[in-house]
Amino acid sequence: MSQDLGRIRAFVQVFDAGGFSAAARQHGRSKALLSKYVTDLEDYLGVRLMNRTTRKLSLTEAGEAYYREASAILAQLDDLDASIADQTSEPRGLLRVSAPRNYGEDTLAPAIFAYLKRYPKVSLDLRLEDRYVDLVEEGVDVALRISTLADSSLIARKIADMHLVIGGAPELIKTVGRPEHPEALRNLPCIVDTNMQGQANWRFVEDGKTISIPVTGQVRVNSPLAARSAAIAGLGFAALPSYLADPVVAAGALVPVLTEFVPTGQTLQAVYPHRRHLAGKVRALIDHLVAWFGTHPAS
């Protein structure tokens, strides 16, 4: 069986590398041995898998079908090996994490730094920015997001409950009135945070049904902290995450409105790409954050 796997792996490595010489350099094996393994595999299967010329290597129709299945099998075996290794070793290596800037600086950072003290063999690349990061494209291991999961190609695990606050400055409410229904926002000034899901279409819930209200206003920003500042200045109503809204509401700088219509289910989530095997350093971080926010306020 081990010899068969060796032949299969050689076949996949040669095609992935684009040739026998390149595969030999990449994997530290002789070109002659790789060629022998591929020939042995073809003899065993009774079909030609590769068309070889001095300038080009390509797969036959049978080779293409075999490559697809063989690659998947080898990936599963490698994944299994990594899974077992992760279960028996301490988390280590570079961990790339994305998180909202303000929340990351204020609330997430202490939790993540406590994780690093617990696992000193992990190094951290923490990217704090108020935008939706393409995890796969940018090589991010895990993103901490305050939202509901929208991308089906990603997996999310709930870390803690959050909530959204629609608020306006007392002077604004004195001038334009207090909205009693989400529809009223169509004709009232609002602060649009372009990083927020839906941007200028705010979602509410009425009688168990979701309604979407388009809003407009004098200010569009790409920062929830700037949106809060604009709202405090009386420039419009703002939709803010609770960790930013609660302190200024308590101070009287903003007044919550439409609380009975604000949807629940907003959560802090750990989001990561869909993979069969989750790296031990990522799993350990997620488990740590769940435990941390079980005893520390998330907002």
Side-chain angles (χ1 to χ4, degrees), residues 198-277:
Q199 296 194 12
N201 289 286
W202 292 1
R203 293 184 178 182
F204 297 90
V205 175
E206 183 178 26
D207 297 329
K209 296 182 180 179
T210 299
I211 56 176
S212 180
I213 305 298
V215 299
T216 59
Q218 188 180 359
V219 180
R220 290 174 64 92
V221 295
N222 65 346
S223 160
L225 190 60
R228 185 182 73 172
S229 297
I232 292 172
L235 295 173
F237 293 94
L240 300 169
S242 53
Y243 71 92
L244 285 179
D246 289 348
V248 293
V249 167
L254 286 183
V255 177
V257 299
L258 302 171
T259 54
E260 66 271 35
F261 297 100
V262 175
T264 58
Q266 195 87 349
T267 58
L268 172 64
Q269 300 172 337
V271 183
Y272 49 93
H274 182 79
R275 298 189 181 108
R276 285 182 298 272
H277 168 60

Side-chain angles (χ1 to χ4, degrees), residues 1-292:
M1 180 64 178
S2 61
Q3 289 184 345
D4 292 339
L5 281 176
R7 293 165 183 159
I8 295 170
R9 192 175 293 277
F11 163 68
V12 171
Q13 289 174 347
V14 167
F15 183 71
D16 284 344
F20 289 90
S21 297
R25 288 193 299 271
Q26 289 179 18
H27 300 284
R29 309 172 82 177
S30 73
K31 178 180 175 182
L33 181 61
L34 290 174
S35 179
K36 179 181 185 304
Y37 276 174
V38 173
T39 299
D40 288 347
L41 181 62
E42 289 177 327
D43 290 344
Y44 173 75
L45 296 173
V47 295
R48 178 174 288 276
L49 299 174
M50 291 181 170
N51 294 313
R52 308 166 178 80
T53 67
T54 56
R55 303 181 62 181
K56 185 179 179 181
L57 181 147
S58 63
L59 296 179
T60 64
E61 184 177 349
E64 290 179 357
Y66 195 81
Y67 173 81
R68 285 194 299 270
E69 297 298 326
S71 297
I73 291 170
L74 291 175
Q76 290 179 30
L77 290 172
D78 291 342
D79 202 58
L80 178 60
D81 289 346
S83 176
I84 298 300
D86 270 342
Q87 291 176 26
T88 57
S89 64
E90 181 181 357
R92 67 183 64 222
L94 177 62
L95 179 61
R96 299 179 178 89
V97 179
S98 170
R101 177 175 298 278
N102 304 121
Y103 191 71
E105 291 173 347
D106 183 48
T107 306
L108 271 175
I112 295 176
F113 296 155
Y115 163 84
L116 290 178
K117 291 188 70 174
R118 183 178 179 183
Y119 299 110
K121 293 182 180 179
V122 175
S123 56
L124 175 69
D125 178 1
L126 179 58
R127 306 174 185 184
L128 300 178
E129 47 194 345
D130 294 319
R131 67 182 179 89
Y132 265 55
V133 173
D134 186 322
L135 273 66
V136 176
E137 182 71 22
E138 300 182 42
V140 173
D141 296 301
V142 61
L144 285 307
R145 292 176 178 170
I146 302 169
S147 66
T148 54
L149 186 63
D151 189 341
S152 61
S153 68
L154 301 175
I155 304 172
R157 181 175 170 189
K158 174 183 168 182
I159 301 297
D161 287 315
M162 305 288 290
H163 64 277
L164 197 67
V165 175
I166 309 297
E171 64 177 272
L172 176 69
I173 293 175
K174 184 178 180 179
T175 302
V176 304
R178 185 188 187 98
E180 300 298 334
H181 189 276
E183 286 287 347
L185 292 177
R186 293 179 183 267
N187 302 310
L188 295 175
C190 294
I191 312 298
V192 176
D193 181 355
T194 57
N195 283 315
M196 190 174 72
Q197 281 185 314
Q199 296 194 12
N201 289 286
W202 292 1
R203 293 184 178 182
F204 297 90
V205 175
E206 183 178 26
D207 297 329
K209 296 182 180 179
T210 299
I211 56 176
S212 180
I213 305 298
V215 299
T216 59
Q218 188 180 359
V219 180
R220 290 174 64 92
V221 295
N222 65 346
S223 160
L225 190 60
R228 185 182 73 172
S229 297
I232 292 172
L235 295 173
F237 293 94
L240 300 169
S242 53
Y243 71 92
L244 285 179
D246 289 348
V248 293
V249 167
L254 286 183
V255 177
V257 299
L258 302 171
T259 54
E260 66 271 35
F261 297 100
V262 175
T264 58
Q266 195 87 349
T267 58
L268 172 64
Q269 300 172 337
V271 183
Y272 49 93
H274 182 79
R275 298 189 181 108
R276 285 182 298 272
H277 168 60
L278 184 62
K281 60 188 176 183
V282 177
R283 182 185 296 106
L285 173 64
I286 295 172
D287 290 343
H288 167 81
L289 291 177
V290 170
W292 175 276

